[in-house]
């Protein structure tokens, strides 16, 4: 096999492993919550800790690769991931599970930017475009298949096998990296350690405050954590103004294409992550669907997203980003509205239509956001823009999960039974349309100039 394809195979295997860990573990959350007696609003920390670990390590990955070498970094990434997966599977308390998930996220996050950079450097032109298509396909196949497979593991064995099943694949990726990747010299870079600490501290304390706000007797603590988050965020702004190589180049947010794409990513993949988590609990805890049945609906989401993404990629320049964004968000929110109509086990048809619509809308919007985000950045801005965009993608998942579990907890205090769940879905559908204001405000300003 050609060296470039060997490297691409290692990267795609690691990327697939990382993707399935976000979506496969979600299907097991109700079982974990029941066994470990964890409240619904707190169980999201299992997902958030994984994404926090991944977010923390992404900016450090380039420095680690330049310091220790690409091959050693990728091998270490998969070995750390394997050890952490074993720790998750054997965890006997929720706090231990959350800690191992953080380490697992850090291990998986090491491979993504290093492997992607190495792979893209080995391909040019149409070959690079083909590799990009494979990456997008992996990103779709993982959320489509992993909930169903994860649900079957939970139903037949236990939630612990969600983590055990990852270990052979991550060890295979480590072995292939050790055998196939050639040693190479890299220019050493400096890491903005202070910036990393401030950014991750801001996010971690913000998520902690959101989690506490959902508990009736913890409002003072929640307000304290929120204050700490704002203080750390202010600290990063001061650091950013003094640091020429800060971890996040906030000046790039002035680019209208990038900030619109970020807003759309929060409104579509971010909202979907939170909505899907709520629906998993709703179907399993309220309507008593099995984990496997619950996970099967994501197959329709994956089919719809794949078809939409292929079409959107072909018509992007002809239709234009505003039209594609609008179409994607309307379809995605329409699918979420359908979730509010699900009331019993005979509603499988509505669930199928909901996930298909969310998949089509999500595929259009996410693909358009990915294409639009960096389209106008020059060569000097590309590295900072890529870092900002990839960190933002991880934050959308964490914040979407935290905000909608908080929303459900608040609604459950004032509205009985299923009504609280249905209202949460309707509010989510409306919030998924908020970036439309940005799109048409900009179009209006262009028309009057």
């Amino acid at each position: 096999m050609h060296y470039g394809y060997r490297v691409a195979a290692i990267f795609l295997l690691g990327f697939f492993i990382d993707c399935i860990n976000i979506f496969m573990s979600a299907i097991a959350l109700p079982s974990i919550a029941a066994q470990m007696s964890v409240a619904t609003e707190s169980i999201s920390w299992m997902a958030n800790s994984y994404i926090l670990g991944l977010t923390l390590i992404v900016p450090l990955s380039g420095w680690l690769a330049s310091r220790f070498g690409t091959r050693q970094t990728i091998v270490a990434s998969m070995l750390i991931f394997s050890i952490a997966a074993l720790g998750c599977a054997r965890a006997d308390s929720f706090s231990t599970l959350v800690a191992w998930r953080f380490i697992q996220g850090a291990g998986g996050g090491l491979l993504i930017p290093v492997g992607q950079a190495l792979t893209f450097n080995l391909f040019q032109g149409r070959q690079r475009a083909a590799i990009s298509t494979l990456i997008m396909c992996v990103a779709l196949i993982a959320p489509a298949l992993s909930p169903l497979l994860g649900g079957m593991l939970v139903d037949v064995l236990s939630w612990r096998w969600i983590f055990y099943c990852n270990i052979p694949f991550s060890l295979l990726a480590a072995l292939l990296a050790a055998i196939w990747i050639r040693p190479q010299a890299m220019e050493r870079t400096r890491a903005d350690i202070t910036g990393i600490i401030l950014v991750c501290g801001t996010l971690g304390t913000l998520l902690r405050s959101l989690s506490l706000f959902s508990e009736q007797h913890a409002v003072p603590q929640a307000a304290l954590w929120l204050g700490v988050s704002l203080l750390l965020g202010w600290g990063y702004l001061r650091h950013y103004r003094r640091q020429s190589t800060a971890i996040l180049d906030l000046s790039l947010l002035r680019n209208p294409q990038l900030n619109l794409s970020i807003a759309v990513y929060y409104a579509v993949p971010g909202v979907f992550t939170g909505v899907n988590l709520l629906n998993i609990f709703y179907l399993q805890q309220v309507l008593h669907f099995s984990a496997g049945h619950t996970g099967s609906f994501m197959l329709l989401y994956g089919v719809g997203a794949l078809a939409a993404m292929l079409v959107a990629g072909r018509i992007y320049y002809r239709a234009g980003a505003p039209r594609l964004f609008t179409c994607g968000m309307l379809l995605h929110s329409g699918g979420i509205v359908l979730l509010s109509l699900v009331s019993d086990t005979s509603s499988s048809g509505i669930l199928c239509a909901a996930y298909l619509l969310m998949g089509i809308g999500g595929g259009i919007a996410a693909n358009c956001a990915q294409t639009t985000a960096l389209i106008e950045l020059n060569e000097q801005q590309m590295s900072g823009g890529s870092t900002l965009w990839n960190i933002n993608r991880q934050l959308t998942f964490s914040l979407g999960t935290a905000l909608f579990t908080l929303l459900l907890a608040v609604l459950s205090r004032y509205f009985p039974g299923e009504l609280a769940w249905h209202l949460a879905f309707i509010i989510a559908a409306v919030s998924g349309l908020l970036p439309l204001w940005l799109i048409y405000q900009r179009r209006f300003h262009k028309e009057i100039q």
Side-chain angles (χ1 to χ4, degrees):
M1 186 188 296
H2 184 269
Y3 177 64
Y5 292 110
R6 291 182 179 184
V7 173
I10 294 167
F11 165 63
L12 290 172
L13 177 58
F15 183 61
F16 180 78
I17 293 168
D18 181 70
C19 287
I20 65 173
N21 258 276
I22 295 175
F23 292 95
M24 184 181 281
S25 61
I27 207 72
L29 292 182
S31 296
I32 296 171
Q35 183 173 329
M36 294 189 170
S37 302
V38 180
T40 302
E41 60 269 16
S42 299
I43 193 65
S44 61
W45 270 103
M46 198 189 86
N48 288 335
S49 60
Y50 181 86
I51 296 171
L52 274 172
L54 193 151
T55 305
L56 171 65
I57 208 67
V58 164
L60 276 173
S61 58
W63 175 79
L64 290 170
S66 68
R67 174 90 178 171
F68 300 105
T70 301
R71 180 173 63 183
Q72 292 88 337
T73 302
I74 293 177
V75 171
S77 167
M78 290 293 93
L79 289 178
I80 292 170
F81 184 94
S82 302
I83 293 169
L86 181 62
C88 289
R90 298 177 63 85
D92 56 2
S93 69
F94 185 63
S95 59
T96 304
L97 178 59
V98 167
W100 279 117
R101 282 289 283 173
F102 178 85
I103 297 170
Q104 191 182 29
L110 260 180
L111 179 140
I112 295 173
V114 175
Q116 183 171 350
L118 180 59
T119 300
F120 275 33
N121 285 337
L122 295 170
F123 294 93
Q124 300 296 328
R126 293 185 178 180
Q127 288 183 320
R128 182 177 289 185
I131 293 296
S132 297
T133 301
L134 285 174
I135 293 171
M136 298 291 284
C137 288
V138 168
L140 285 173
I141 291 170
L145 294 180
S146 54
L148 174 60
L149 297 175
M152 293 171 63
L153 285 173
V154 172
D155 289 339
V156 176
L157 299 170
S158 78
W159 63 264
R160 298 182 186 275
W161 282 91
I162 294 287
F163 302 105
Y164 281 131
C165 73
N166 284 292
I167 298 174
F169 298 102
S170 53
L171 289 177
L172 175 62
L175 177 62
L176 292 178
I179 296 172
W180 283 352
I181 295 180
R182 300 168 186 166
Q184 62 183 88
M186 294 182 64
E187 182 181 351
R188 292 199 174 188
T189 58
R190 294 184 60 187
D192 178 21
I193 302 298
T194 302
I196 291 169
I197 293 171
L198 288 171
V199 168
C200 293
T202 300
L203 176 63
T205 51
L206 174 62
L207 291 172
R208 178 60 176 163
S209 71
L210 290 174
S211 177
L212 289 171
F213 268 123
S214 63
E215 300 175 15
Q216 288 185 338
H217 304 293
V219 173
Q221 296 176 37
L224 178 61
W225 281 105
L226 181 59
V228 173
S229 177
L230 293 173
L231 183 62
L232 289 170
W234 175 76
Y236 178 75
L237 288 175
R238 286 176 57 87
H239 168 77
Y240 163 74
R241 295 189 182 104
R242 298 193 304 264
Q243 176 62 258
S244 60
T245 58
I247 176 179
L248 298 182
D249 185 359
L250 300 181
S251 68
L252 295 175
L253 293 176
R254 299 191 191 104
N255 180 280
Q257 280 70 31
L258 179 58
N259 63 44
L260 175 59
S261 297
I262 287 174
V264 170
Y265 222 82
Y266 278 101
V268 181
V271 167
F272 174 75
T273 303
V275 165
N276 187 48
L277 179 63
L278 292 190
N279 197 49
I280 286 171
F281 276 92
Y282 178 63
L283 294 183
Q284 292 188 43
Q285 290 188 343
V286 179
L287 301 186
H288 306 294
F289 279 61
S290 69
H293 192 184
T294 302
S296 66
F297 295 111
M298 279 298 293
L299 284 173
L300 290 169
Y301 177 91
V303 169
L306 179 59
M309 195 169 289
L310 293 174
V311 173
R314 288 179 174 272
I315 66 173
Y316 177 82
Y317 288 101
R318 187 164 66 248
R323 287 193 183 94
L324 289 174
F325 276 139
T326 301
C327 178
M329 286 186 284
L330 288 173
L331 289 172
H332 184 257
S333 288
I336 297 175
V337 168
L338 289 181
L339 292 180
S340 68
L341 304 179
V342 175
S343 58
D344 53 47
T345 54
S346 65
S347 303
S348 291
I350 298 176
L351 282 165
C352 289
Y355 273 88
L356 188 60
L357 274 179
M358 288 188 292
I360 295 171
I364 294 172
N367 184 67
C368 189
Q370 180 73 49
T371 305
T372 304
L374 309 178
I375 199 168
E376 288 192 353
L377 300 187
N378 58 39
E379 188 176 344
Q380 289 73 32
Q381 295 172 320
M382 187 60 70
S383 177
S386 180
T387 298
L388 193 65
W389 175 250
N390 279 288
I391 289 176
N392 166 75
R393 288 199 305 173
Q394 308 309 324
L395 301 190
T396 59
F397 300 141
S398 285
L399 290 176
T401 299
L403 285 172
F404 286 104
T405 51
L406 167 61
L407 174 64
L408 177 64
V410 172
L411 290 174
S412 297
R413 297 176 191 168
Y414 302 101
F415 299 95
E418 296 180 15
L419 181 58
W421 297 86
H422 293 165
L423 287 174
F425 292 137
I426 291 172
I427 293 171
V430 173
S431 66
L433 298 175
L434 292 179
L436 289 175
W437 178 79
L438 284 175
I439 294 172
Y440 290 98
Q441 179 196 44
R442 289 172 184 174
R443 177 173 287 185
F444 174 76
H445 282 310
K446 286 182 179 179
E447 289 175 353
I448 65 174
Q449 284 176 353

